Amino acid sequence: MIHFIIGPKGSGKTKKVIEMANRAIEETKGNVVFIDGDYRKITGLKYQVRFINAREFDLKDLNVLYGFLCGIIAGDYDIERVYVDGIIEDLGGDIKSIEEFVTDVKKLSDKFNIQFVITMSGTPESVPVFLKEYMLEEECIA
């Protein structure tokens, strides 16, 4: 399962995803991973959440991020939830590359039964059609 949290910069997406990751520690038996682009958010996470600073790995684009996710999963088959905050825009590109990334992550999610929650800047109205199915109304930040 994949969920996208979409909202303008400064709308509370990061706060929401941190709360979700912290809550996941109580709700799941497996491991929880939080991937971000800097260390500022680490203080808001419970120590049980595995924090990864993606910038340390010099990810170039969404294909590399997908490979990175595969490597994380290959190294820990107990992962149940992965939260990706604030790096899609940095690696993004065109709509086609984002759509291919989502398709690939969906396959990972289905194959390994992992829930992915990904934040993205934008407005619900600007979301491409292929992303709408992954957004829940309560996850959209106004």
Side-chain angles (χ1 to χ4, degrees):
M1 180 181 337
I2 304 174
H3 293 296
F4 273 82
I5 299 174
I6 306 211
K9 287 190 182 280
S11 62
K13 297 181 303 291
T14 296
K15 182 179 178 185
K16 181 168 182 70
V17 79
I18 287 172
E19 289 170 0
M20 291 173 76
N22 286 336
R23 193 171 47 247
I25 291 297
E26 309 299 324
E27 298 172 352
T28 64
K29 293 181 181 175
N31 294 330
V32 177
V33 176
F34 192 96
I35 302 170
D36 199 348
D38 62 45
Y39 285 108
R40 289 181 296 180
K41 288 105 180 177
I42 195 170
T43 58
L45 291 168
K46 292 184 177 181
Y47 74 91
Q48 298 97 328
V49 175
R50 170 72 170 103
F51 179 83
I52 300 171
N53 182 347
R55 288 221 168 89
E56 289 183 345
F57 298 93
D58 197 29
L59 305 178
K60 303 281 187 216
D61 58 34
L62 291 175
N63 287 329
V64 176
L65 176 59
Y66 172 72
F68 186 70
L69 292 172
C70 290
I72 291 168
I73 293 166
D76 184 354
Y77 283 105
D78 293 328
I79 293 174
E80 285 188 28
R81 299 201 188 162
V82 176
Y83 298 88
V84 180
D85 183 43
I87 60 175
I88 297 297
E89 294 86 2
D90 296 341
L91 303 176
D94 60 11
I95 296 296
K96 184 169 175 43
S97 64
I98 294 173
E99 185 172 13
E100 289 171 358
F101 174 75
V102 171
T103 300
D104 290 341
V105 172
K106 174 80 169 96
K107 290 176 190 172
L108 271 183
S109 176
D110 293 343
K111 184 173 184 173
F112 295 102
N113 196 29
I114 297 172
Q115 179 181 345
F116 289 87
V117 177
I118 302 169
T119 66
M120 232 172 116
S121 290
T123 61
E125 299 80 34
S126 69
V127 173
V129 173
F130 69 87
L131 277 183
K132 291 196 185 286
E133 70 179 283
Y134 301 110
M135 292 174 42
L136 297 176
E137 285 302 315
E138 62 270 17
E139 290 179 345
C140 299
I141 309 293

Coordinates of all heavy atoms in Angstrom, one line a residue, residues 61-68 97 100-101 104:
D61 N 18.5 10.6 -8.7 CA 17.1 10.7 -9.3 C 16.2 9.6 -8.7 O 16.6 8.9 -7.8 CB 17.2 10.5 -10.8 CG 17.9 9.2 -11.3 OD1 17.7 8.2 -10.6 OD2 18.5 9.3 -12.3
L62 N 15.0 9.5 -9.2 CA 14.0 8.6 -8.6 C 14.4 7.1 -8.9 O 14.1 6.3 -8.1 CB 12.6 8.9 -9.2 CG 12.0 10.2 -8.6 CD1 10.7 10.5 -9.3 CD2 11.9 10.2 -7.1
N63 N 15.1 6.8 -10.0 CA 15.5 5.5 -10.2 C 16.5 5.0 -9.2 O 16.5 3.9 -8.7 CB 16.2 5.3 -11.6 CG 15.1 5.4 -12.7 OD1 14.0 4.9 -12.5 ND2 15.5 5.9 -13.9
V64 N 17.4 5.9 -8.8 CA 18.4 5.6 -7.8 C 17.7 5.5 -6.4 O 18.0 4.6 -5.6 CB 19.5 6.7 -7.7 CG1 20.5 6.4 -6.6 CG2 20.3 6.7 -9.0
L65 N 16.7 6.3 -6.1 CA 15.9 6.2 -4.9 C 15.2 4.8 -4.8 O 15.2 4.2 -3.8 CB 14.9 7.3 -4.8 CG 14.0 7.3 -3.6 CD1 14.7 7.3 -2.2 CD2 13.0 8.4 -3.6
Y66 N 14.7 4.4 -6.0 CA 14.0 3.1 -6.0 C 15.0 2.0 -5.7 O 14.8 1.1 -4.8 CB 13.4 2.8 -7.4 CG 12.9 1.4 -7.5 CD1 11.7 1.0 -6.8 CD2 13.6 0.5 -8.3 CE1 11.3 -0.3 -6.9 CE2 13.1 -0.8 -8.4 CZ 12.0 -1.2 -7.7 OH 11.5 -2.5 -7.8
G67 N 16.2 2.0 -6.3 CA 17.3 1.1 -5.9 C 17.7 1.1 -4.5 O 17.9 0.1 -3.8
F68 N 17.7 2.3 -3.9 CA 18.0 2.6 -2.5 C 17.0 1.9 -1.6 O 17.3 1.2 -0.7 CB 18.1 4.1 -2.3 CG 18.5 4.5 -0.9 CD1 19.8 4.3 -0.5 CD2 17.6 5.1 0.0 CE1 20.3 4.7 0.7 CE2 18.0 5.5 1.2 CZ 19.4 5.3 1.6
S97 N 8.6 10.3 -15.0 CA 9.5 9.6 -14.0 C 8.9 9.4 -12.7 O 9.1 8.4 -12.0 CB 10.8 10.4 -13.9 OG 10.6 11.6 -13.4
E100 N 6.5 6.3 -13.1 CA 7.3 5.1 -13.1 C 7.8 4.7 -11.7 O 7.8 3.6 -11.3 CB 8.5 5.2 -14.1 CG 8.1 5.3 -15.5 CD 9.3 5.6 -16.5 OE1 10.4 5.9 -16.0 OE2 9.0 5.7 -17.7
F101 N 8.2 5.7 -11.0 CA 8.7 5.5 -9.6 C 7.5 4.9 -8.7 O 7.7 3.9 -8.0 CB 9.2 6.8 -9.0 CG 9.5 6.7 -7.5 CD1 10.7 6.0 -7.1 CD2 8.7 7.3 -6.6 CE1 11.0 6.0 -5.7 CE2 9.0 7.2 -5.2 CZ 10.1 6.5 -4.8
D104 N 6.8 1.3 -9.6 CA 7.9 0.4 -9.1 C 7.7 0.3 -7.6 O 7.8 -0.9 -7.1 CB 9.3 1.0 -9.4 CG 9.6 0.9 -10.9 OD1 9.0 0.1 -11.6 OD2 10.5 1.6 -11.3

